[in-house]
Amino acid sequence: MFDMGKMTEMMSQMQEKAKEIEEQSKQVSFTANAGGGLVSVSMNGAGELLDVTIDDTLLSDKAYLQILLISAVNDVTKMVEDNKKSQAMGMMGGMNPFGS
């Protein structure tokens, strides 16, 4: 027989765990570099941008700077998303809800 009380309790525990993971993710930092380190972008695990470092030599080449910034931001965003997926899989007991 389906026990609604147990289901509600489980959902509540999962929400608490999700809040815990979200707070912990703010403590984790990811950094991606582009152009051999000419551009560096850092984000925390919650996807908040923490830092952008640009080598002075790029300041005169706007087009190249934009390309490197886009590349570094895309790379660090992927790192954050991959981390969120692995945390979610861990929370779900290893079941992969993302299908890959």
Side-chain angles (χ1 to χ4, degrees):
M1 188 167 157
F2 186 72
D3 186 340
M4 194 62 179
K6 283 193 188 278
M7 185 63 153
T8 303
E9 184 181 329
M10 263 180 51
M11 291 300 291
S12 177
Q13 287 173 351
M14 284 184 73
Q15 286 175 333
E16 284 300 314
K17 184 71 173 167
K19 283 180 191 174
E20 244 178 73
I21 288 172
E22 187 178 338
E23 284 306 310
Q24 289 172 354
S25 70
K26 290 183 179 182
Q27 307 304 314
V28 178
S29 178
F30 298 92
T31 301
N33 297 304
L38 293 174
V39 170
S40 175
V41 178
S42 297
M43 258 184 203
N44 68 15
E48 298 168 335
L49 192 59
L50 300 174
D51 189 36
V52 176
T53 305
I54 300 167
D55 190 276
D56 289 344
T57 60
L58 291 171
L59 298 180
S60 62
D61 191 347
K62 183 178 177 181
Y64 188 47
L65 172 57
Q66 288 170 325
I67 290 167
L68 293 180
L69 272 171
I70 290 167
S71 176
V73 169
N74 286 340
D75 287 350
V76 78
T77 301
K78 182 167 181 1
M79 290 177 191
V80 170
E81 289 304 313
D82 288 348
N83 183 61
K84 285 181 183 178
K85 285 180 184 178
S86 69
Q87 286 179 332
M89 283 182 6
M91 194 172 95
M92 310 258 319
M95 294 184 304
N96 187 349
F98 302 102
S100 61

